[in-house]
Amino acid sequence: MAKLKILEFPDPRLRTKATPVVAVDDELRKLIGDMLETMYAAPGIGLAATQVDVHQRLLVTDVSVDRDDPHVLINPEILEKDGVIATDEGCLSVPGYYEEVERSEHIKVRFLDREGVEVELESRGLLAVCIQHEIDHLDGKLFVDYLSEAKRTRIRKKLEKERRQQAVV
Ligand code: GNR
Ligand code: NI
C-alpha cells in the first residue's frame, strides 16, 4: 500500500466532476487500499478519489471510534434523504478550518462494494454527513461552497499565504 498526496483548496483539480467506475478489478482494489491507508494516516473519517487526483466515482469512509469499520462506496447514488443535521465540518483538502454545514440527517444510498456487489445502505448522523461530503467531492464541490463568499475567500487567502511561506522554507 502507499500513502497518496491529497490536493488542497483552491487547486482547480478539486473542481473536476468524476466519472463512473467501469470495472471493479484488482487495479481499483489497489487504489482503494491506498485511499484507506491515506485516510487513516491523515487522519480523516472519509476520502474521495477526487482528493487524490483520481476522477472516478469512488469514496472511502470510517467514522468508527476504533477506526476498524471501513466503508467503500463505488458509484454511490443517494436514493432518499430526510431530516436536517448541522455539523462542524472539516476537510483534508481545506486543512485547519472547521465550519458548520447543514445536510440531510438520514440517507439511503446505493453503490457497489469492493467486490463489485450492489449494496443499499441506510445511514444517519455522522456517517450520513460524511457520505454526502464525499459525494460532493466527486461532483467537484467542497464544504466551503456552503459558506459565505467572504468566509470562503478568507480561507482561500490564508491557505495560499501558508503555501507561499512553505515554498520558501
Ligand atoms: O476527516 C474529515 N472529517 C469530517 C468531519 C465532519 C464532516 C466531514 C468530514 S470529512 C473529513 C475528511 C475529508 O475531507 N473527506 O473528504
Ligand atoms: Ni473533504
Side-chain angles (χ1 to χ4, degrees):
M1 292 214 286
K3 231 178 76 179
L4 306 170
K5 186 172 175 287
I6 298 176
L7 301 178
E8 293 184 3
F9 176 67
D11 192 310
R13 291 172 289 183
L14 287 167
R15 298 309 189 174
T16 311
K17 186 168 165 64
T19 57
V21 168
V22 292
V24 182
D25 54 15
D26 287 346
E27 190 187 340
L28 192 81
R29 280 185 283 269
K30 178 181 184 303
L31 171 63
I32 290 166
D34 290 346
M35 284 176 59
L36 285 167
E37 182 180 348
T38 305
M39 175 186 74
Y40 286 125
I45 61 170
L47 187 70
T50 308
Q51 293 176 278
V52 295
D53 205 19
V54 174
H55 302 288
Q56 297 184 39
R57 303 191 73 82
L58 163 67
L59 66 90
V60 299
T61 164
D62 187 341
V63 300
S64 72
V65 172
D66 293 336
R67 316 289 286 147
D68 61 356
D69 189 22
H71 292 268
V72 176
L73 281 67
I74 299 166
N75 297 342
E77 265 183 88
I78 293 180
L79 303 175
E80 289 172 25
K81 47 169 83 182
D82 56 78
V84 177
I85 183 174
T87 311
D88 255 338
E89 292 202 14
C91 181
L92 297 172
S93 296
V94 189
Y97 295 89
Y98 298 86
E99 296 285 347
E100 188 173 277
V101 175
E102 281 189 1
R103 298 192 188 266
S104 301
E105 193 277 333
H106 167 245
I107 62 170
K108 187 165 160 186
V109 63
R110 179 163 65 205
F111 54 93
L112 303 178
D113 69 12
R114 63 177 115 182
E115 307 305 326
V117 175
E118 190 173 288
V119 179
E120 280 184 20
L121 173 75
E122 280 204 51
S123 62
R124 48 179 69 253
L126 188 58
L127 179 58
V129 166
C130 190
I131 290 171
Q132 291 170 82
H133 174 116
E134 304 313 336
I135 291 176
D136 270 357
H137 276 301
L138 301 180
D139 291 324
K141 191 160 187 175
L142 298 168
F143 85 92
V144 295
D145 298 344
Y146 296 102
L147 310 178
S148 67
E149 164 124 54
K151 262 192 186 170
R152 187 166 50 255
T153 300
R154 185 172 58 81
I155 292 171
R156 176 175 57 75
K157 290 193 167 159
K158 283 191 178 170
L159 283 172
E160 283 172 341
K161 182 174 175 193
E162 264 177 51
R163 219 148 296 142
R164 274 199 306 280
Q165 288 174 342
Q166 276 166 15
V168 295
V169 178

